[in-house]
Amino acid sequence: MLDPRLTKLANVLVNYSTNVQPGDNVLIDAMEVDAALIKELIKAVSQAGGHSFVNLRESSISRQLLLAGTEEQFRLGTEMDKERMEKMQACIIIEGGLNINEASDVPDEQMKLATSFFKEVSIVRLKKKWVYLRYPTPSMAQLANKSTEAFEQFYFDVCTMDYAKMAEAMQPLKELMERTDRVKITGPGTELTFSIKGIPAIPCPGHYNIPDGEVFTAPVRDSVNGVISFNTPSPYQGFTFEKVRLEFVDGKIVNATANDTKRLNNILDTDEGARYIGEFALGVHPFIREPMQDILFDEKIDGSFHFTPGRCYDEASNGNKSNIHWDMVMIQRPEYGGGEIWFDDHLVRRDGRFLLPELAPLNPENLK
């Protein structure tokens, strides 16, 4: 029997997130996803007057391709993927997978080589209507410390919430961030200052990611100074980093430690831009409260912010270019040690709660 929650989710992805129009070509790119959701997406695209194209992937095969790939192979694969993407008006990317660490034994140099080509496809996709979605699996339920049934309900609550309401509540924060010059962030092991002057703030209420729930900008590239100690596990390139601590001088990460300091610094040495920050964002999703080692969820945690070594987004550009884009998350609610965010000497958020009246609609009890 078809789960009606899948039909509702497909409707959100097709009619809200990507807003498929008659004649649109839509690529459904799926990694280890149940056929039922893919079929509901095809139905929804057809009902909207669009045309579906499906690419099915499997994580262990993707790993083997990474291990065996040559520069020429990655180049040709990128050319073919770019050509297909250029013919699309929209792209729906859904990733499942039983093991988030499937690529953990791919050598760093091989991963860097592949990433240097794969980003070219991402650049084309970012010019289209697109949305990225993680698909629930038993392994995700384990990471979230929930039963499979409880996690499924959590997942659908998160992914099918009233994103239009969230969009309206985000506007005052966008406007405030775009008036702000100096940002100060404090918390356990954290004393950080930087500027966001002149860089747009972008609300994310479900148009590009599901789940969604952040407002992002970028620091002025050379303005970041101080230290930050992240309190949330940070999976990247098949390995979960913990207790990441970064020190900045004039925008550059000059010292970085973690549970695997060598691996961390190898990633930060990918290119010059990897040691500078490309994104600063506040997370506000009312149903996402605890980390589950899945960045699409974790970067939206209520009462969190993320700070991203590597490439900036074109919509909020500070000029930083890199093959890396690594969202690292800090939760500031009291049970995680608390913390404060100041904009131009005004306290905006304490212990994960917005204090200004115009921002109160973003507190969780008002978004649910």
Side-chain angles (χ1 to χ4, degrees), residues 181-192:
D181 176 1
R182 292 169 290 108
V183 178
K184 181 174 73 172
I185 301 177
T186 64
T190 298
E191 185 80 26
L192 201 63

Side-chain angles (χ1 to χ4, degrees), residues 219 224 248 251 253 273 275-280 307-310 318 320:
V224 185
F248 294 85
I253 299 169
R275 286 190 176 266
Y276 289 83
I277 297 298
E279 181 187 359
F280 163 59
F307 214 52
T308 306
N318 66 353
N320 197 44

Side-chain angles (χ1 to χ4, degrees), residues 10 13-14 18 20 26-30 41 45 90-94 129-133:
L13 296 172
V14 171
T18 54
V20 173
V26 182
L27 177 63
I28 301 169
D29 188 308
L41 286 168
V45 169
C91 182
I92 299 172
I93 308 149
I94 313 167
K129 298 182 292 185
W130 62 273
V131 64
Y132 175 84
L133 174 74

Side-chain angles (χ1 to χ4, degrees), residues 47-180:
Q47 289 167 0
H51 314 294
S52 295
F53 300 85
V54 179
N55 182 41
L56 300 180
R57 296 179 290 125
E58 202 273 331
S59 58
S60 64
I61 293 175
S62 295
R63 168 185 171 274
Q64 200 62 48
L65 287 169
L66 285 169
L67 288 169
T70 64
E71 182 173 347
E72 181 57 32
Q73 183 177 340
F74 291 138
R75 179 179 291 108
L76 179 58
T78 296
E79 290 174 0
M80 293 189 296
D81 288 345
K82 281 176 64 179
E83 183 178 356
R84 177 177 59 183
M85 188 63 68
E86 286 167 353
K87 298 179 184 297
M88 299 294 132
Q89 281 71 50
C91 182
I92 299 172
I93 308 149
I94 313 167
E95 288 198 355
L98 300 177
N99 182 2
I100 66 168
N101 297 317
E102 189 66 49
S104 61
D105 56 354
V106 176
D108 287 343
E109 291 306 312
Q110 192 73 353
M111 186 67 77
K112 289 176 184 178
L113 177 63
T115 301
S116 69
F117 286 101
F118 295 165
K119 74 170 185 178
E120 296 180 24
V121 182
S122 297
I123 290 170
V124 176
R125 188 186 70 232
L126 289 172
K127 297 177 182 177
K128 310 291 183 176
K129 298 182 292 185
W130 62 273
V131 64
Y132 175 84
L133 174 74
R134 283 286 288 156
Y135 193 71
T137 64
S139 65
M140 290 174 69
Q142 290 174 327
L143 290 170
N145 293 313
K146 297 179 183 290
S147 69
T148 301
E149 182 178 352
F151 181 77
E152 285 182 358
Q153 188 56 54
F154 158 77
Y155 176 87
F156 286 108
D157 285 343
V158 164
C159 293
T160 62
M161 70 162 288
D162 187 347
Y163 282 107
K165 181 179 181 181
M166 177 186 283
E168 183 178 355
M170 285 177 167
Q171 285 306 305
L173 178 57
K174 167 186 168 65
E175 294 167 7
L176 175 60
M177 291 173 74
E178 291 182 340
R179 295 195 304 268
T180 296

Side-chain angles (χ1 to χ4, degrees), residues 236-237 241 263-270 274 324 326:
Y236 198 70
Q237 293 186 354
F241 294 84
R263 186 189 290 253
L264 169 64
N265 281 279
N266 282 341
I267 294 173
L268 295 177
D269 288 336
T270 296
I324 299 302
W326 186 353

